[in-house]
Amino acid sequence: MSDARSAPVYGGESLLFLTDEQLRQGIEAMFFAYRGFTADPDRILAEMAYGRAHHRAIHFINRAPGTTVNNLLSILGVTKQSLNRVLRTLIADGLVESRVGTVDKRERHLFLTDAGRALETKLSDAQRARMRAAYKDAGPEAVAGFKQVLEAMMDTSMQRSYRNLKDGPT
């Protein structure tokens, strides 16, 4: 554990004891970074009359092919009605396939179609390019610190979902 004598100093400010103003600046930086991070995919999705909910569903179905609707509900933290509306559109447009479970016939397992994988690649390529450039500019220590901050901001259930995805197949 660091104490005041060994606390990292950036730009002349100790990060051990952040002021409300420094925290406000961090919140605003995150807001604007998120706008930048979602801007490219938003443009692609708008051409298809899709939104961020469609993007999140496509992303996590791609990360965990065969995931169940209930697992996706848990990951996304949305209502069943909201997710069903998104999934109906993605299935009707041929981007997602829903298969009945082999063990439990009540389960629906979700998979991206070839068209769904192509869209996911297009969306994630734009975000990876932005993130790669930012990581390269910031350097490895900043990247590690950024990941640590993001993980520390997650609730316990979110951390569990994140670890399950992170530790699963890539």
Side-chain angles (χ1 to χ4, degrees):
M1 184 79 166
S2 295
D3 63 16
R5 292 181 306 271
S6 63
V9 176
Y10 298 95
E13 298 176 330
S14 169
L15 297 183
L16 185 58
F17 302 104
L18 296 173
T19 65
D20 284 348
E21 176 60 19
Q22 289 169 314
L23 293 170
R24 183 193 58 74
Q25 289 173 5
I27 291 166
E28 289 172 357
M30 183 169 279
F31 173 75
F32 286 110
Y34 182 74
R35 278 185 54 193
F37 181 70
T38 57
D40 299 321
D42 283 351
R43 281 190 286 278
I44 296 165
L45 293 162
E47 295 171 6
M48 305 175 75
Y50 290 164
R52 290 182 187 162
H54 296 88
H55 184 194
R56 288 189 295 269
I58 289 168
H59 175 84
F60 287 108
I61 293 168
N62 182 67
R63 283 290 288 137
T67 191
T68 63
V69 171
N70 283 336
N71 188 50
L72 193 57
L73 278 168
S74 174
I75 290 170
L76 297 177
V78 297
T79 65
K80 196 172 210 171
Q81 180 181 12
S82 174
L83 180 58
N84 281 336
R85 193 171 29 250
V86 166
L87 288 176
R88 272 195 306 272
T89 305
L90 294 173
I91 290 168
D93 291 348
L95 300 172
V96 170
E97 180 183 349
S98 174
R99 300 179 197 160
V100 174
T102 54
V103 175
D104 186 343
K105 302 291 184 198
R106 296 170 297 176
E107 288 184 337
R108 290 189 301 151
H109 295 264
L110 304 170
F111 299 86
L112 293 183
T113 64
D114 289 342
R117 280 189 296 281
L119 176 58
E120 191 285 328
T121 297
K122 189 175 180 181
L123 296 169
S124 62
D125 280 353
Q127 288 183 314
R128 273 194 296 271
R130 186 179 293 264
M131 193 158 248
R132 184 175 289 112
Y135 277 1
K136 184 178 175 189
D137 288 347
E141 286 181 21
V143 171
F146 176 68
K147 285 179 61 181
Q148 186 177 0
V149 168
L150 291 178
E151 290 174 10
M153 288 178 22
M154 296 176 198
D155 293 338
T156 304
S157 64
M158 289 180 203
Q159 287 175 346
R160 198 170 20 260
S161 294
Y162 171 69
R163 279 191 209 98
N164 288 341
L165 283 169
K166 186 176 79 165
D167 296 340
T170 55

